[in-house]
Amino acid sequence: MKVLVSVKRVIDYNVKVRVKADGTGVETANVKMSMNPFDEIALEEAVRLKEAGLATEIVAVSCGVQACQETLRTALAIGADRAILVESGEELQPLAVAKLLKSICQKESPQLVILGKQAIDDDSNQTGQMLAALMGWPQATFASKLKIENGKAQVTREVDGGLETVSIKLPAIVTTDLRLNEPRYVTLPNIMKAKKKPLETLKPETLGVDVSPRLTTLKVVEPPKRKAGVKVPDAKVLVDKLRNEAKVI
């Protein structure tokens, strides 16, 4: 079974995001970047499937600027067998990424595609669902447990009311939630081995995909700073403030 894993290069989750002075976006120059945490979980799950003898090959895919090669090298060090970079200087939105992944799926014919449920930079939570629709494949989102057997994927997914278990036929799309697994640390020997693993670079034009943005960001602003809390002597004063000052009741 071939497994395709999509990984995105984002601002590291430990970094405080700063808005550009002109309000056109967030500052990425000289900012530490890393693999999207949800995609890291997706990759870890693919590696575990291979270690269990259920997967034969793991292909990591990233779409974006040339620097995404660093993210793919990390994916190769974690356990992917080879990598594909779809290089583009455009701002890639979820539908464009889904179309690029569709072309890669048609080229690679994987039996399972695993993605993070969302990226921590735009929080769109759309790419996996759009890819499933474009491919006409079954999907299971927000996976907290994944089991593969008899040509089917049994997925336990997190929903508002608790947990839901679904069974879908392969080939299929699965998006991962936080509780699926805990990604491993990358070791130095594996980093050295990753340098010798194949990394293919493609262009959107080669895949026949138009990645022109369909949405325009008008302005980006920081959320307003929270005011300091106020202590009140009793419930009567609290209700009065909620009613007359905060106007929430």
Side-chain angles (χ1 to χ4, degrees):
M1 179 176 73
K2 182 188 289 188
V3 181
L4 189 79
V5 182
S6 174
V7 296
K8 186 177 183 181
R9 179 176 181 262
V10 299
I11 296 176
D12 190 89
Y13 63 90
N14 289 311
V15 174
K16 177 174 170 49
V17 177
R18 292 178 291 115
V19 176
K20 290 181 179 178
D22 59 3
T24 57
V26 297
E27 193 62 65
T28 56
N30 301 316
V31 173
K32 182 184 178 184
M33 309 293 280
S34 63
M35 186 186 301
N36 178 45
F38 289 102
D39 296 340
E40 204 171 351
I41 291 169
L43 183 60
E44 172 67 25
E45 192 64 21
V47 174
R48 292 188 185 189
L49 288 173
K50 187 176 180 185
E51 290 172 344
L54 297 169
T56 54
E57 184 181 27
I58 301 169
V59 183
V61 182
S62 189
C63 306
V65 295
Q66 189 178 17
C68 291
Q69 287 188 9
E70 299 170 13
T71 306
L72 287 172
R73 288 296 176 195
T74 302
L76 292 170
I78 291 172
D81 298 295
R82 56 190 177 91
I84 299 172
L85 170 62
V86 183
E87 188 179 339
S88 174
E90 290 276 7
E91 177 197 348
L92 296 176
Q93 294 172 352
L95 182 58
V97 175
K99 288 180 177 179
L100 292 171
L101 292 176
K102 176 190 175 186
S103 295
I104 297 294
C105 286
Q106 290 172 337
K107 179 173 177 283
E108 294 289 337
S109 300
Q111 284 72 55
L112 180 65
V113 180
I114 311 180
L115 310 88
K117 71 170 184 178
Q118 65 194 69
I120 62 171
D121 54 358
D122 58 15
D123 279 335
S124 290
N125 179 21
Q126 294 175 346
T127 305
Q129 293 90 326
M130 287 178 170
L131 177 59
L134 291 170
M135 294 296 296
W137 288 1
Q139 61 176 304
T141 55
F142 313 141
S144 61
K145 189 176 180 182
L146 174 63
K147 185 179 180 182
I148 307 289
E149 61 180 4
N150 301 323
K152 292 184 178 181
Q154 185 173 299
V155 181
T156 301
R157 54 190 305 270
E158 300 189 0
V159 295
D160 290 341
L163 298 176
E164 175 186 64
T165 301
V166 296
S167 179
I168 54 177
K169 291 182 178 179
L170 301 179
I173 312 289
V174 173
T175 70
T176 60
D177 213 333
L178 282 173
R179 278 162 282 281
L180 181 59
N181 60 52
E182 186 174 338
R184 67 194 67 191
Y185 288 103
V186 182
T187 62
L188 183 59
N190 286 339
I191 292 174
M192 302 306 293
K193 289 176 185 175
K195 293 180 179 180
K196 297 180 180 179
K197 291 182 178 180
L199 194 160
E200 182 183 2
T201 301
L202 301 171
K203 297 283 187 182
E205 305 82 56
T206 310
L207 298 171
V209 178
D210 177 16
V211 295
S212 302
R214 292 167 175 258
L215 303 174
T216 302
T217 301
L218 300 178
K219 192 175 182 182
V220 178
V221 295
E222 287 192 24
K225 292 183 178 179
R226 295 179 63 182
K227 295 179 181 179
V230 178
K231 286 187 177 181
V232 294
D234 53 44
K236 185 178 179 181
V237 177
L238 173 62
V239 171
D240 180 67
K241 284 184 175 292
L242 290 174
R243 179 177 290 122
N244 300 315
E245 292 183 19
K247 298 188 185 300
V248 294
I249 60 173

